[in-house]
Amino acid sequence: MTARLSDIATQAGVSEATVSRVVNGKPGVSPATRQAVVAAMDVLGYERPPRLRQRSAGLIGLITPELNNPIFPAFAQVIEQVLSRDGFTPVLCTQTPGGSTEDQLTEMLVDRGVNGIVFVSGLHADTTADTDRYVKLAGRGVPFVMVNGYTDRIKAPFVSVDHRAAVRLAVTHLQNLGHDRIGLAVGPSRFVPAQRMVEEFIDLDRDPELVEHSLFTVEGGQAAADTLYDRGCTAVVCGSDLMAFGAIRAARRRGLHVPRDISVVGFDDSPLIVFADPPLTTIRQPVEAMGQAAVHALLEEIGGTPAPHAEFVFQPELVVRGSTGANR
């Protein structure tokens, strides 16, 4: 026990006596310090004593399209942390190819009595999808919030990154490096984020022939980049970090060097990107701020004081690393 108290005290930055008071439910400890000790126990893998186990305020569903793209686990982690801090129990649901669909996962969550649902890059972002599913969900009294992919056909709070600003940041950066033949590799044209990125690209007087739609995957990025390289592009802006990896792979298979011959910009700044070779220049989504906003909007809905049924837009950030360089 002494060793355990010592470990927890060191992790929390408090004395062993303070840890003992928290563990034994004694008074004289501030809420913030108590929370720090509990968090330290969780980090170190110690089981909380029964008196420290918070009773759940309810279940909140979180539906993501996949977990292969590291940006979705990043969103899930932030959203789950905020929910847990507010006393709710998160239930993570992930769609799988040939497996559960968004509709099936939604039905399962509703059947289990969830208090609300967060949809991350779901069917709400697909302009060809039927939005009646969300009207019916609202009719069943289930509050929900959407992350990335706005439509005015759904009355709910939306949290989005500014995809147009992301393209401006990337294109301006590449222009400042002397690139003129800049390509844009994005996902399928039916998705709102891809549409917004293309619209901004065209508004910046870029050549529409240098836009390629593909899948938001490494293979999709490679296919799109191959076409753009054939058209003389010396730089490519990608709709995801995974696509950027594909663009780098396509360059290398042609014997080209990144960034000496080809510059590549990703999108997301998802975890592990800094360990890429070369480290990837990318547009960072403010995942933590977006996740917190999504949860707070949902909890307001649940609490009976609905957040505005509008889009809350967050600004991205250009993170310059080693995959972009001067056009020679």
Side-chain angles (χ1 to χ4, degrees):
M1 173 61 75
T2 301
R4 187 175 75 172
L5 290 179
S6 175
D7 293 340
I8 296 171
T10 299
Q11 178 68 30
V14 299
S15 68
E16 290 184 37
T18 297
V19 174
S20 180
R21 284 197 294 272
V22 172
V23 169
N24 293 298
K26 301 297 184 181
V29 181
S30 70
T33 300
R34 189 178 302 274
Q35 180 61 36
V37 171
V38 172
M41 295 178 70
D42 292 344
V43 168
L44 295 173
Y46 291 121
E47 184 176 358
R48 297 184 188 182
R51 64 174 60 85
L52 294 180
R53 295 173 192 168
Q54 186 177 25
R55 188 167 185 175
S56 176
L59 301 177
I60 301 294
L62 169 60
I63 300 180
T64 66
E66 58 167 307
L67 292 179
N68 292 331
N69 187 330
I71 193 61
F72 295 126
F75 268 115
Q77 183 176 33
V78 169
I79 291 170
E80 290 180 339
Q81 285 175 343
V82 179
L83 285 171
S84 297
R85 191 165 60 236
D86 287 329
F88 287 86
T89 300
V91 181
L92 176 62
C93 298
T94 304
Q95 300 172 61
T96 54
S100 298
T101 65
E102 181 182 305
D103 289 338
Q104 291 170 330
L105 294 173
T106 300
E107 191 63 29
M108 179 272 291
L109 290 170
V110 173
D111 287 345
R112 281 161 175 73
V114 294
N115 296 77
I117 301 175
V118 180
F119 294 92
V120 178
S121 298
L123 290 172
H124 64 276
D126 187 338
T127 58
T128 66
D130 187 355
T131 56
D132 282 349
R133 53 175 48 87
Y134 301 112
V135 175
K136 294 175 182 176
L137 181 61
R140 298 170 73 175
V142 180
F144 54 88
V145 63
M146 311 295 204
V147 177
N148 279 336
Y150 176 73
T151 172
D152 59 9
R153 293 177 292 168
I154 302 173
K155 301 304 179 185
F158 286 79
V159 174
S160 301
V161 68
D162 191 335
H163 289 91
R164 293 187 177 92
V167 170
R168 287 198 302 275
L169 287 170
V171 169
T172 300
H173 170 63
L174 293 169
Q175 286 177 321
N176 290 340
L177 291 172
H179 293 277
D180 181 55
R181 296 288 289 178
I182 301 171
L184 178 65
V186 291
S189 59
R190 68 180 187 274
F191 291 115
V192 172
Q195 291 179 357
R196 288 177 166 180
M197 294 181 82
V198 172
E199 288 168 2
E200 184 62 29
F201 191 76
I202 302 304
D203 286 346
L204 292 172
D205 287 331
R206 308 313 304 174
D207 187 349
E209 293 298 316
L210 300 184
V211 174
E212 275 298 306
H213 290 279
S214 188
L215 300 177
F216 285 112
T217 62
V218 173
E219 295 76 16
Q222 181 178 343
D226 268 328
T227 300
L228 293 171
Y229 297 155
D230 285 342
R231 294 175 185 168
C233 289
T234 62
V236 176
V237 178
C238 297
S240 73
D241 289 335
L242 291 184
M243 294 187 79
F245 288 152
I248 292 173
R249 178 195 288 177
R252 285 177 172 162
R253 290 191 173 182
R254 290 169 176 250
L256 301 173
H257 182 272
V258 177
R260 186 179 62 240
D261 304 310
I262 296 289
S263 286
V264 176
V265 179
F267 181 83
D268 284 334
D269 197 32
S270 43
L272 305 181
I273 291 307
V274 293
F275 301 107
D277 181 24
L280 186 66
T281 294
T282 189
I283 304 297
R284 175 182 294 158
Q285 288 201 66
V287 171
E288 186 165 347
M290 292 172 66
Q292 290 177 351
V295 171
H296 293 157
L298 182 63
L299 296 187
E300 286 185 1
E301 295 273 316
I302 293 171
T305 55
H309 289 174
E311 184 178 28
F312 301 89
V313 181
F314 288 74
Q315 292 304 303
E317 176 188 355
L318 173 68
V319 181
V320 179
R321 298 193 181 103
S323 66
T324 52
N327 184 27
R328 301 177 187 275

